[in-house]
Amino acid sequence: MRYAFSRGAPPVRVLLGVLAIPPNSRYVALDGDEIRVRLGWSFRLTAPRVSIVAALRDHDRIRGIGAHGWRGTWLVNTSSKGLVRIVLDPPQKAAVCGVPVTVRVLRVSVADPDAFLADLQHGSEG
């Protein structure tokens, strides 16, 4: 299943267009084996689904839009709405602008966080 990123405000949508990050390159995808997170050329993560040890709605404040992080916690978003916090153990490798990083906690904005979390939970049961 593929989930779109939250729809950002018009200035964010224009900026993403200028940065050549079209809507079809911004998504979180789940299948039976893995999770894939893409924000165009700026962020890429592919991790085994079994490495997801927790996932929940994230209501913490954010500062900024895009892909940024520090010490294993990464925020990848196009909006302040629809945030989900995903905890990975063991930490997983990702790439930010082609530079390798390690991700322990991923905060990501999805258009339908409840459906995403339900799909994630359902997939972990079966």
Side-chain angles (χ1 to χ4, degrees):
M1 186 72 173
R2 189 182 253 201
Y3 294 89
F5 271 75
S6 298
R7 187 173 166 95
V12 173
R13 294 194 303 265
V14 169
L15 178 61
L16 291 168
V18 168
L19 292 173
I21 303 176
N24 66 350
S25 74
R26 307 187 300 251
Y27 60 88
V28 177
L30 289 173
D31 64 27
D33 299 320
E34 63 186 17
I35 181 172
R36 290 180 311 283
V37 180
R38 302 285 186 271
L39 186 58
W41 51 265
S42 67
F43 185 89
R44 290 179 168 265
L45 173 133
T46 300
R49 197 163 167 160
V50 297
S51 68
I52 301 171
V53 295
L56 60 148
R57 290 293 300 263
D58 186 335
H59 300 287
D60 288 352
R61 299 187 90 181
I62 65 160
R63 295 180 189 200
I65 301 294
H68 37 272
W70 183 251
R71 294 188 174 180
T73 298
W74 285 85
L75 172 64
V76 181
N77 66 324
T78 54
S79 170
S80 62
K81 296 182 174 128
L83 287 173
V84 173
R85 180 179 302 254
I86 301 167
V87 180
L88 301 166
D89 188 21
Q92 299 294 308
K93 297 295 180 189
V96 176
C97 300
V99 176
V101 298
T102 300
V103 179
R104 281 189 336 271
V105 176
L106 177 65
R107 301 175 69 204
V108 63
S109 64
V110 291
D112 191 345
D114 294 328
F116 171 74
L117 289 169
D119 188 24
L120 190 60
Q121 178 64 32
H122 174 71
S124 68
E125 293 171 356

